[in-house]
Amino acid sequence: MKRIILICLALALGATARPSLQLDRERVEAGKTFGLQLVYPLSDLPENRSGFSIDTQNGFTFLGMDSTDQVMRPSMEEMFNSFWGGGSRGAYKARIYTFKLRAPKKTGRLNIGKVLIEFEGQKQPISGEIPVNIQRAYTDDALGVSLTASKKTIYEGEQFYVTLGLHTYEHFEGNLQATDMNTGNDFIVHRSDLSNLKFEPVEGSRREMQASAKFAWLSPTKSGNLQIPPFKFKYTKRGEPKIVEENKQMGGMSFHSQSIRQESVEAEAQSPTINIMVKPLPTEGKPADFSGMVGNYSFSANFDRTDVKVGEALTLSVDIKGDGTPGTITDPKFPDFSDFRSVPPENNINKKVVGSKVITSKSIKVFLYPKKKGDFTVPEITYSWFNPAKKKYETAKAGPWNIHVEKGENSPEAVFQNPVAANGPAAVQKQEIESLGNDIRFIHAVGKNAGSSHPHRNAIFWTIFFAAIPFYVLVTFAIRRRRKHNSDAALVRKGKANKMLKARFANARAALQKGDAKALYAALENGLIDYLSDKTNLEFKGMTRPQMKEELAKLGLNAETIAAIDSWLEKCAFARFAPVNPSAEEQKQMLDDVEKLCEGLKV
């Protein structure tokens, strides 16, 4: 009964009193201390109270409390409301209880808790939940960068992805630029295009924005403890408020003033380093034909037909698809095709993002021409990979195939020299000379006045004869050299390198004029790699940058040039996949610098 009476008394006092709550500052910053003030008129204070306390929530920490008496004067707004019948009284004495609190690290609109009054050991709330906006401190970063890996323990060659997250706070002002988005040298990487990265408001905080997207799919090239280095960004934020004092002279009088100013400052932010544990592939159960693919794969192979004539072509189609190393699929081990004449196979590799994985597909077409008639057996073809989900090796098989070859219309010798394509025209056949009954058929009869001159007795004849000898030698040498040049694919490719380079940079200039920054960076990066491949007859696409540097060093390039090439490839790759673009002037300068680098290369 006594407890019920105390509760009713507390509620009655709370209903008649006019206490109010206020903060001791305009801005409450995350992780910083502030004061919550309970202003209680002295005339309304309950006499039998034991004290006040606060029940904190949502990570607010209570540090202590003090109190002081103060005369409270009405504000201009209160005076205006009182004049028009608001009923507000004038100045009054009040006791101010200040609860010293520390704000949590989390930002947004949060409830501090409730203020309690105590009567004879019993606490009762005299306020509801107290909301407050927690904002980022001006001294803290205005940009938060996160990089999250889908897996942190994987097998060598297994694919995983990283998600880039950006969080801007209230004092973020813009000018976001990525300065380093290198994923390291221990991974084969497929990067996504972040040009469509969208920022959305953070729930509970209108002045904060956030965005996230899958940035890259990676596959480790070795086992052990590997690291993805931090991604670094620069931006502009609003600086900490500073008191500026000014002394002015006006009309012979001195004026002193103080003002609070906030200036924009440049800042940097980066993501934490990601540690990846890469396990080696198991040796137990490894197939003999295993070529290094790790993931979930499918394999199929088949001939377009099994009945063929000598001179016609058989087409072996092989299709491989999987979610292993992005952009890379090894060839299966083909059987011995000694009974057939073959030409270099056609390869086509594609990769695309499907769901949360990069799927790489490869199609191979092998063209075979039977050398003779008969029945032949093409052995089965196998393809093996390691499936990390099942933690075991898997093998797919296709074949064997029985090929029946019949005699063609052409002789084997003619067909071997000029084989018939599967759907192409028939080979041109040699025809026998048709005898017309005469050894020689004259075009016309020789006239009776035909003379029998002796040109070898003429000096002009011998002059022309001896002059023709060096001309014949030069023409023959030129023809042989041209044939040799054309037969050397590497030499032909190197000869066309500069011409192809001009075409690639023409595409880059077109992208620059259109304002398509992503296309410009792609043209520069691919142009530099293709130019190196043309000049050296090496395929640099698909190589990691350490492998490229090693190959360029073997070719005799100096360390400074190799470092310049590596630096520009990193800049192009970074600029291509960064969420923001450099200015048009910076893009033009990048185009000029890469063009000068290519023109000055001597491989």
Side-chain angles (χ1 to χ4, degrees), residues 228-242:
I228 301 176
F231 284 14
K232 299 178 182 179
F233 295 82
K234 66 179 181 179
Y235 62 96
T236 303
K237 72 173 184 176
R238 193 179 311 129
E240 190 175 5
K242 295 181 181 180

Side-chain angles (χ1 to χ4, degrees), residues 270-427:
Q270 66 180 37
S271 65
T273 301
I274 298 180
N275 295 314
I276 304 294
M277 177 60 188
V278 182
K279 300 183 293 185
L281 298 178
T283 56
E284 183 179 357
K286 181 183 292 188
D289 64 340
F290 177 69
S291 56
M293 293 293 95
V294 179
N296 186 18
Y297 283 82
S298 63
F299 169 81
S300 64
N302 207 354
F303 281 94
D304 60 340
R305 51 182 172 169
T306 56
D307 293 324
V308 69
K309 295 180 179 181
V310 175
E312 296 178 342
L314 286 168
T315 303
L316 173 63
S317 298
V318 179
D319 294 303
I320 310 171
K321 183 169 66 174
D323 58 4
T325 302
T328 300
I329 289 184
T330 57
D331 291 342
K333 184 178 180 181
F334 290 106
D336 182 16
F337 295 129
S338 59
D339 293 326
F340 303 86
R341 189 180 70 85
S342 61
V343 296
E346 292 182 359
N347 293 312
N348 185 25
I349 297 180
N350 294 304
K351 59 179 178 178
K352 63 178 180 178
V353 179
V354 179
S356 61
K357 296 182 178 180
V358 174
I359 304 299
T360 304
S361 57
K362 184 173 187 177
S363 62
I364 307 172
K365 291 189 179 299
V366 182
F367 303 100
L368 302 174
Y369 299 89
K371 295 180 179 179
K372 57 184 178 179
K373 69 175 185 177
D375 292 322
F376 306 93
T377 299
V378 176
E380 68 177 10
I381 303 175
T382 61
Y383 195 76
S384 300
W385 61 89
F386 179 77
N387 192 328
K390 299 179 180 179
K391 298 182 180 180
K392 67 177 184 178
Y393 291 94
E394 295 180 334
T395 300
K397 300 179 181 179
W401 300 270
N402 294 318
I403 307 298
H404 177 68
V405 181
E406 295 181 354
K407 183 178 180 181
E409 297 178 358
N410 305 323
S411 63
E413 294 79 4
V415 169
F416 188 79
Q417 295 170 5
N418 189 13
V420 180
N423 297 315

Side-chain angles (χ1 to χ4, degrees), residues 485-506:
H485 180 276
N486 292 338
S487 64
D488 190 338
L491 195 59
V492 173
R493 185 179 184 183
K494 184 176 180 180
K496 294 182 178 180
N498 292 330
K499 181 179 179 181
M500 297 300 297
L501 180 64
K502 291 180 180 179
R504 295 182 183 111
F505 279 113

Side-chain angles (χ1 to χ4, degrees), residues 194 223 596:
L194 296 180
S223 59
K596 290 179 182 177

Side-chain angles (χ1 to χ4, degrees), residues 417-557:
Q417 295 170 5
N418 189 13
V420 180
N423 297 315
V428 177
Q429 302 181 25
K430 293 187 293 184
Q431 297 181 356
E432 298 295 334
I433 298 175
E434 184 180 357
S435 175
L436 299 178
N438 296 316
D439 293 334
I440 299 176
R441 299 193 69 196
F442 298 99
I443 296 175
H444 59 82
V446 179
K448 296 180 179 180
N449 296 326
S452 58
S453 60
H454 302 282
H456 59 277
R457 296 180 179 179
N458 194 328
I460 299 176
F461 170 82
W462 292 108
T463 302
I464 297 174
F465 176 80
F466 286 111
I469 294 176
F471 178 76
Y472 171 79
V473 173
L474 290 175
V475 171
T476 303
F477 176 76
I479 292 174
R480 290 181 177 178
R481 185 175 182 181
R482 183 65 178 176
R483 288 176 177 174
K484 183 178 180 181
H485 180 276
N486 292 338
S487 64
D488 190 338
L491 195 59
V492 173
R493 185 179 184 183
K494 184 176 180 180
K496 294 182 178 180
N498 292 330
K499 181 179 179 181
M500 297 300 297
L501 180 64
K502 291 180 180 179
R504 295 182 183 111
F505 279 113
N507 295 333
R509 291 192 188 91
L512 178 62
Q513 292 177 355
K514 293 180 181 178
D516 191 348
K518 302 301 180 185
L520 170 65
Y521 306 141
L524 291 179
E525 182 180 7
N526 294 330
L528 181 53
I529 293 176
D530 291 342
Y531 182 66
L532 290 172
S533 300
D534 291 343
K535 295 291 284 185
T536 61
N537 198 37
L538 294 175
E539 293 301 332
F540 285 100
K541 280 189 176 180
M543 289 188 186
T544 62
R545 290 210 307 279
Q547 291 173 335
M548 290 181 63
K549 290 193 289 186
E550 182 179 352
E551 293 297 331
L552 292 173
K554 292 179 181 178
L555 294 170
L557 267 70

